[in-house]
Amino acid sequence: MDKQLYEQADRWVDAHRDAIVEDIKRLVRFPSVSEPNAEVGPYGQACRDALEAFLEIGREHGFEGHNYDYHCGAIWLAEQAGAVEKSIGLWGHLDVVPVGDGWDFPPFDPVEKDGFLIGRGSQDNKGPLVAAMYAALFLRDMGVTLRHPLRIYGGCNEERGMADLIYYRENYPCPALSIIPDSSFPVCYAEKGTLTGNLVSDAPAGESVVSLTGGVFSNMVPDTAVLVLRHTEQLAKRRDRLPHWLEAVDEGDTLRITARGSSRHTAFPAGGENAIAALTRGVLAAGILEEADEDAFFFLSRANLGFAGRGLGIVCRDDISGPLTCVGSMVSLDAERRYSLHLNIRYPVTAESGALLGAMEKACGDRGFHMEGFRDSKPNHFPREHPVVDTLTEVFREVTGSDKEPFTMGGGTYSRKLPNALAFGMGMPTGKADYSVFPAGHGGGHSPDEALFIDDLLDALKIYCVALPEVDKLDF
């Protein structure tokens, strides 16, 4: 690592702190939840507006840019221009997960407090995307010449399937190497595969079930689930058996039963509390359902038993990426009043998704359910022994003094949709942030009061400023 360059980055980044924060705020103000079926395509007006703002911010700083039909956009400096196929691409995303419940701060009116920038998208992933842009600006200002030109991309569908990158990859050339600032430091070289789809009952719900809802997004552990029942003799007899963790409120001729949980990203569900699981477990314990509905709730509860997929017969792990995780993240009655549980599964990089689907199909068939709409996003596995991994890791260690190793994760980044790609920060595992200032379950990337600790982002940006020239020396 060039220590003199790092000293320059230290001063330059600190001097640009206010500008960096203001550019992040501009992007956070857009409620850019990706909506693939929106009337304004391809992902809704808010995503279009956020993409245009990203390109405009780039132009204001001297970048050239291109809008790839509102799927994604790219900016680059004239001093760093060149063939895309020989470039280093830095890929972030402008879309965000839905707000959800329980916010203490306005989700799209960013607030600075206790060193944090609070707002949906501040941490995931608008802050890191802006930081990637400033890394390119720093290298320009320092007169650093790169063999591989830099291009910074902002996408609009990362949180809902990455159709943006599929579109880009099918229509445009990809960089020689792609680095994704959407994980923790140092290097994530492998990502588990992702299976998503619905387990649907063969028969409709009974007449006493008015509605069943829970969860708002595939990759969020649900923090609320609600069952509305008509009053029946069975319910009257056993209502007092409802466990303490369920709220029961009379609403005329119905009873609304609510379970609360704690949201987490489904790639890292440990520590979260699944409200759907709590609801089904509690209602079954009380014995207030009719027999047919009780059978369906038993399966829904079993399918959501813990986070390992035990109830579906899909427990597995490997030495590269660890154990499979399985979260029933949304539940509802479909148009035909059939029970529908949405699953978000992260499976090890060496596992066969076909075998997992077969095991789930058997588990469903045995319980009067079937599978609908499953999609398979294949794992990403960048070679651990590649010099890029070692180079990025060593720069991180030299700057921070950490001995943290390259790692794998269940989270899905743009790495899985790009050739020759890996994730590098910008989350600081050795950071200064004290998230205890937030209530439990708040402050995370997919949680209420999503928060970016500004000093951590600035430190991450300084790492990028010196890491990119080191990677540029390599052949890939």
Side-chain angles (χ1 to χ4, degrees), residues 20-33:
I20 293 168
V21 171
E22 285 306 311
D23 284 341
I24 298 170
K25 287 181 178 179
R26 287 173 64 178
L27 294 179
V28 170
R29 291 189 179 102
F30 294 98
S32 48
V33 177

Side-chain angles (χ1 to χ4, degrees), residues 327-460:
V327 178
S329 56
M330 294 184 289
V331 72
S332 63
L333 299 181
D334 70 9
E336 299 176 12
R337 284 184 46 80
R338 300 175 302 173
Y339 292 102
S340 178
L341 177 68
H342 180 85
L343 295 182
N344 189 294
I345 298 166
R346 310 300 172 112
Y347 64 89
V349 297
T350 60
E352 291 292 334
S353 58
L356 300 174
L357 291 167
M360 287 192 292
E361 186 173 21
K362 182 178 185 306
C364 285
D366 291 343
R367 292 291 179 177
F369 276 70
H370 61 275
M371 299 163 60
E372 291 186 1
F374 267 82
R375 296 189 306 171
D376 183 11
S377 181
K378 297 296 184 182
N380 177 60
H381 190 190
F382 190 90
R384 168 64 184 85
E385 63 277 8
H386 197 289
V388 169
V389 176
D390 288 335
T391 297
L392 291 173
T393 301
E394 286 307 311
V395 171
F396 166 77
R397 288 175 170 175
E398 193 169 351
V399 170
T400 64
S402 169
D403 59 358
K404 189 172 176 61
E405 294 283 344
F407 64 97
T408 66
M409 70 174 180
T413 73
Y414 280 146
S415 293
R416 66 181 59 224
K417 300 299 182 185
L418 293 163
N420 215 32
L422 77 174
F424 180 57
M426 290 187 179
M428 293 290 290
T430 58
K432 308 165 185 173
D434 178 12
Y435 282 89
S436 68
V437 299
F438 294 97
H442 289 232
H446 284 202
S447 302
D449 302 321
E450 177 179 341
L452 171 73
F453 193 66
I454 296 169
D455 283 351
D456 275 357
L457 183 72
L458 300 183
D459 288 345

Side-chain angles (χ1 to χ4, degrees), residues 225-380:
V226 180
L227 171 67
V228 179
L229 294 175
R230 289 188 176 88
H231 286 295
T232 63
E233 184 177 346
Q234 177 88 342
L235 177 57
K237 286 180 179 179
R238 302 192 175 188
R239 174 177 172 171
D240 60 353
R241 299 186 183 184
L242 285 168
H244 65 87
W245 65 80
L246 298 180
E247 305 169 12
V249 178
D250 284 300
E251 298 180 337
D253 61 352
T254 63
L255 181 69
R256 177 178 295 270
I257 304 170
T258 302
R260 307 289 181 186
S262 178
S263 185
R264 293 286 190 280
H265 195 299
T266 53
F268 319 100
E273 297 180 20
N274 190 320
I276 298 171
L279 178 68
T280 55
R281 184 174 72 251
V283 168
L284 284 170
I288 59 176
L289 297 170
E290 297 175 354
E291 184 176 350
D293 295 309
E294 191 168 71
D295 289 343
F297 265 63
F298 179 83
F299 179 76
L300 294 175
S301 182
R302 185 162 182 79
N304 233 348
L305 188 63
F307 295 128
R310 187 170 61 210
L312 296 170
I314 56 175
V315 175
C316 62
R317 64 175 298 126
D318 66 19
D319 292 337
I320 299 173
S321 54
L324 174 146
T325 60
C326 175
V327 178
S329 56
M330 294 184 289
V331 72
S332 63
L333 299 181
D334 70 9
E336 299 176 12
R337 284 184 46 80
R338 300 175 302 173
Y339 292 102
S340 178
L341 177 68
H342 180 85
L343 295 182
N344 189 294
I345 298 166
R346 310 300 172 112
Y347 64 89
V349 297
T350 60
E352 291 292 334
S353 58
L356 300 174
L357 291 167
M360 287 192 292
E361 186 173 21
K362 182 178 185 306
C364 285
D366 291 343
R367 292 291 179 177
F369 276 70
H370 61 275
M371 299 163 60
E372 291 186 1
F374 267 82
R375 296 189 306 171
D376 183 11
S377 181
K378 297 296 184 182
N380 177 60

Side-chain angles (χ1 to χ4, degrees), residues 65-83:
H66 188 79
N67 182 339
Y68 298 99
D69 304 313
Y70 288 102
H71 288 269
C72 62
I75 58 175
W76 61 90
L77 292 165
E79 300 93 325
Q80 298 170 0

Side-chain angles (χ1 to χ4, degrees), residues 51-75:
L51 178 56
E52 289 177 347
F54 165 65
L55 296 173
E56 176 61 27
I57 291 170
R59 286 190 289 269
E60 291 172 5
H61 290 292
F63 288 85
E64 300 175 14
H66 188 79
N67 182 339
Y68 298 99
D69 304 313
Y70 288 102
H71 288 269
C72 62
I75 58 175

